[in-house]
Amino acid sequence: MAGLKKKIRIGDLLVHNSVISETQLQLALEKQKSTGLRLGRTLISLGYVGEDQFLEFLSTQLQIPFVDLRRYKFDVTLVQRLSETLARRYRAIVLSDNKGELLVGMADPTDIYAYDAIERALQQPIQQAVVRESELLGTLDLVYRRTEEIANFAEELDEELTDTQFDLASLTPAADDSDAPVVKLLQSIFQDAVQVRASDIHIEPDESVLRIRQRVDGVLQEQVMKERRIAPALVLRLKLLSGLDISEKRLPQDGRFSLKVKNRKLDIRLSTMPIEHGESVVMRLLDQTDGAAQLENVGMPEAMLSQFRRLIHMPHGLILVTGPTGSGKTTTLYGALQELNEVGKKIITVEDPVEYRLQRINQVQVNPKIDLSFARVLRAALRQDPDILLVGEIRDTETAEIALRAAMTGHLVLSTLHTNDAVSSAMRLVDMGAESFLAATALRAVVAQRLVRRLCDNCYIDYTPTAREVAWLGAHLGEEKARAMQLKRPSGCHRCNNTGYRGRIGIFELLILNDEMSDALRRADSSAFVRAAKNSHGYVPLVMSALADAEKGITSLEEVFRIAEQIDESGDFDLAAPEAQ
């Protein structure tokens, strides 16, 4: 079928083929008048027909293929022959070129006006295919990356700048400067970051180039631009947005600002640092659109989540969440606060910095410049009659002792430590100088966590472990189970930017202190504490949690090994060493 010759009355066809009733069609048409949605989307939203059922019906009636975009291998050059504007307007994507005839996937192949506009734009005959609209929109975000657009805006900004100076007025935020090259460049950078779900943006001037790097699923991706001299202009604009001192280039500065990108409300935490070739800027992107994560969405196994919920609803005691920077501790704590946040409870947080703003919770950001430290705010918070306290991080003896005493005197205290695992966290409090009897009496539980990358569900492939990997697995799971394991490994496709991974999930270990552990902690006997912890009922180490996710096909064995290597402080983890000859 080369193209549509007349408009198809899809509603009549559905009724004629008994897919829906005449009454359902009339109700959908009435609904369509108020929403403006296509009839097919309206029927699906009303539950009169399933999306796949509707699309397969279209495929049969129009004699065109139904293409599953999740498994489709795209030619990005071919896709970009249709401009992003038209692709989004008409919900279409170019799939293949068959001897001069282009196969175009469309969410609504009955739209004759879209068909004609696409054929004019491509200046080639087109053959239609039907695709799921939800998959199409997600695919467009991935294949229309803004790498080229960013490079073009960088070149445009570079042409505006002289060799030695730039116009400060042209870089200052104003109501009518949306066409300024520096504004367009930053907008494009942020839009690209949102499209690929980046958590951080790094702007790093080098000797002869400028590097823009984005952290996606914990791994940095880089774009290098030859327009090195635009770096000061970008830094200046970002400083102005953040309310920082634009004349200070010798000292680090921290700030924040908010903006809206692709209907997402972002809170940007910005840090500048003087480096050899200028100033490095790192921006943490916090998506405020949906607020903080709910506790059930952090990735904790159901049985552990039930225990953790019981712990956070206790009236008093200290609960620690531990792990290195970037392991998701704050997400877990905010999830707990979301659940505890109710009218009958006074909650105060002491943070550095405040990441998500929560209603009804009194959030305080520490400020070392004016001696507003964790300990000082915590002492003041205790005079505010709180039920629950969140201490962003226990960093020193004073903060540790105040938090422990608060936990002993009728307050629930939540906090974090930077430790490798749950077992070492309790003794770390004592090592920091806290009294051992305080730690033994107040500490209720420790959660340790890491983030592992999820395998892309579009391109993972089956994997059989090597002999060396089976030996390592056998030491943890038993040789028989290790030899029988069938795992998944990453492959790479357009959806995951050829990384094989898409998104991250938390892995956890939960250590609930019992009498034996508390007694060892009171005596500051680290060996006895470790023995009691590892022998305690229900304790599952982090590596075993990661292995459980690998067995389910959620993550890969290489992610398990990465976690094992992080935790193994002895330096004995040498799986990657070459085989002995």
Side-chain angles (χ1 to χ4, degrees), residues 325-363:
T325 301
S327 59
K329 301 186 299 296
T330 302
T331 301
T332 300
L333 287 175
Y334 271 100
L337 287 185
Q338 292 271 78
E339 191 153 314
L340 294 168
N341 188 6
E342 54 189 53
V343 174
K345 292 178 180 175
K346 170 91 169 185
I347 302 176
I348 299 176
T349 73
V350 191
E351 304 175 65
D352 183 22
V354 173
E355 294 201 4
Y356 290 95
R357 295 175 175 88
L358 303 175
Q359 292 184 351
R360 200 188 292 119
I361 293 179
N362 296 267
Q363 296 173 273

Side-chain angles (χ1 to χ4, degrees), residues 192-233:
D192 189 56
V194 169
Q195 284 184 196
V196 297
R197 302 167 295 103
S199 60
D200 303 84
I201 300 173
H202 298 237
I203 299 176
E204 302 169 343
D206 211 332
E207 183 176 7
S208 57
V209 297
L210 174 65
R211 303 179 193 278
I212 306 290
R213 303 206 281 175
Q214 300 172 335
R215 191 176 295 280
V216 181
D217 296 336
V219 178
L220 286 170
Q221 300 176 1
E222 182 177 82
Q223 181 176 359
V224 179
M225 293 179 287
K226 64 181 183 298
E227 294 84 5
R228 160 69 180 79
R229 62 180 180 173
I230 71 173

Side-chain angles (χ1 to χ4, degrees), residues 362-377:
N362 296 267
Q363 296 173 273
V364 183
Q365 182 162 319
V366 301
N367 188 347
K369 294 179 182 177
I370 58 172
D371 195 28
L372 192 64
S373 63
F374 277 105
R376 187 170 185 178
V377 177

Side-chain angles (χ1 to χ4, degrees), residues 41-291:
R41 180 54 51 189
T42 304
L43 288 166
I44 293 167
S45 67
L46 289 171
Y48 295 158
V49 63
E51 184 177 25
D52 283 1
Q53 181 188 8
F54 178 74
L55 296 180
E56 286 168 5
F57 176 82
L58 278 182
S59 173
T60 302
Q61 292 297 316
L62 301 178
Q63 298 177 17
I64 60 176
F66 170 52
V67 175
D68 186 346
L69 295 181
R70 291 175 301 179
R71 301 290 178 182
Y72 200 84
K73 298 294 184 182
F74 290 90
D75 181 338
V76 176
T77 304
L78 192 61
V79 168
Q80 293 179 346
R81 287 186 58 180
L82 183 66
S83 71
E84 182 179 3
T85 302
L86 290 180
R88 292 187 183 280
R89 180 185 301 165
Y90 297 121
R91 300 291 197 261
I93 186 169
V94 181
L95 298 173
S96 65
D97 187 348
N98 182 22
K99 298 178 181 178
E101 186 177 65
L102 297 175
L103 180 65
V104 177
M106 298 180 67
D108 182 10
T110 66
D111 188 342
I112 191 170
Y113 305 110
Y115 175 89
D116 289 340
I118 292 167
E119 192 169 48
R120 283 196 304 271
L122 293 172
Q123 297 181 342
Q124 270 184 249
I126 66 172
Q127 162 76 18
Q128 291 174 295
V130 61
V131 298
R132 297 185 187 93
E133 185 172 11
S134 56
E135 288 176 10
L136 173 65
L137 294 174
T139 301
L140 293 180
D141 282 344
L142 294 168
V143 295
Y144 285 101
R145 285 293 301 271
R146 299 181 181 271
T147 306
E148 186 176 346
E149 183 180 279
I150 290 170
N152 291 338
F153 286 146
E155 186 176 350
E156 184 180 344
L157 177 58
D158 187 59
E159 290 171 357
E160 275 206 353
L161 305 177
T162 67
D163 288 335
T164 58
Q165 63 183 2
F166 47 84
D167 181 6
L168 177 61
S170 70
L171 300 171
T172 304
D176 59 351
D177 66 353
S178 58
D179 289 332
V182 67
V183 175
K184 292 191 289 186
L185 175 55
L186 285 173
Q187 285 176 339
S188 188
I189 290 171
F190 283 121
Q191 287 169 354
D192 189 56
V194 169
Q195 284 184 196
V196 297
R197 302 167 295 103
S199 60
D200 303 84
I201 300 173
H202 298 237
I203 299 176
E204 302 169 343
D206 211 332
E207 183 176 7
S208 57
V209 297
L210 174 65
R211 303 179 193 278
I212 306 290
R213 303 206 281 175
Q214 300 172 335
R215 191 176 295 280
V216 181
D217 296 336
V219 178
L220 286 170
Q221 300 176 1
E222 182 177 82
Q223 181 176 359
V224 179
M225 293 179 287
K226 64 181 183 298
E227 294 84 5
R228 160 69 180 79
R229 62 180 180 173
I230 71 173
L234 287 176
V235 174
L236 173 59
R237 180 70 184 208
L238 290 167
K239 281 185 175 180
L240 288 166
L241 286 170
S242 307
L244 302 182
D245 184 354
I246 62 173
S247 64
E248 180 57 77
K249 300 178 181 179
R250 301 166 301 169
L251 296 173
Q253 297 187 68
D254 296 306
R256 69 193 306 162
F257 62 94
S258 298
L259 76 163
K260 198 169 185 178
V261 180
K262 298 176 72 67
N263 296 319
R264 311 297 296 178
K265 184 182 177 184
L266 298 181
D267 196 19
I268 313 296
R269 269 175 34 201
L270 178 141
S271 170
T272 71
M273 185 175 68
I275 59 176
E276 186 177 1
H277 300 292
E279 287 181 276
S280 166
V281 175
V282 176
M283 291 176 283
R284 170 67 57 88
L285 311 184
L286 300 169
D287 191 341
Q288 304 284 346
T289 308
D290 301 319

Side-chain angles (χ1 to χ4, degrees), residues 369-501:
K369 294 179 182 177
I370 58 172
D371 195 28
L372 192 64
S373 63
F374 277 105
R376 187 170 185 178
V377 177
L378 193 50
R379 281 196 300 269
L382 288 170
R383 296 193 289 271
Q384 293 275 311
D385 188 30
D387 297 291
I388 299 166
L389 289 164
L390 184 147
V391 184
E393 183 185 347
I394 294 178
R395 297 177 177 174
D396 52 51
T397 304
E398 187 178 13
T399 305
E401 293 217 338
I402 297 171
L404 288 166
R405 290 186 186 280
M408 287 177 61
T409 54
H411 305 89
L412 176 67
V413 182
L414 308 174
S415 191
T416 71
L417 273 180
H418 287 281
T419 52
N420 262 359
D421 56 21
V423 175
S424 61
S425 300
M427 295 308 303
R428 179 64 59 87
L429 288 173
V430 177
D431 293 341
M432 289 173 67
E435 295 285 352
S436 58
F437 77 90
L438 282 178
T441 306
L443 186 61
R444 295 285 179 268
V446 184
V447 176
Q449 68 179 88
R450 295 290 193 282
L451 293 176
V452 295
R453 292 181 291 172
R454 284 179 177 269
L455 283 167
C456 175
D457 60 8
N458 190 53
C459 65
Y460 65 76
I461 56 179
D462 292 332
Y463 175 66
T464 302
T466 65
R468 182 181 287 274
E469 289 166 346
V470 167
W472 186 89
L473 289 168
H476 290 79
L477 301 172
E479 187 173 340
E480 184 177 346
K481 185 174 182 179
R483 292 188 181 282
M485 287 184 77
Q486 288 295 318
L487 303 170
K488 310 289 183 187
R489 71 174 177 85
S491 174
C493 67
H494 72 282
R495 282 181 169 268
C496 58
N497 200 29
N498 293 314
T499 64
Y501 297 97

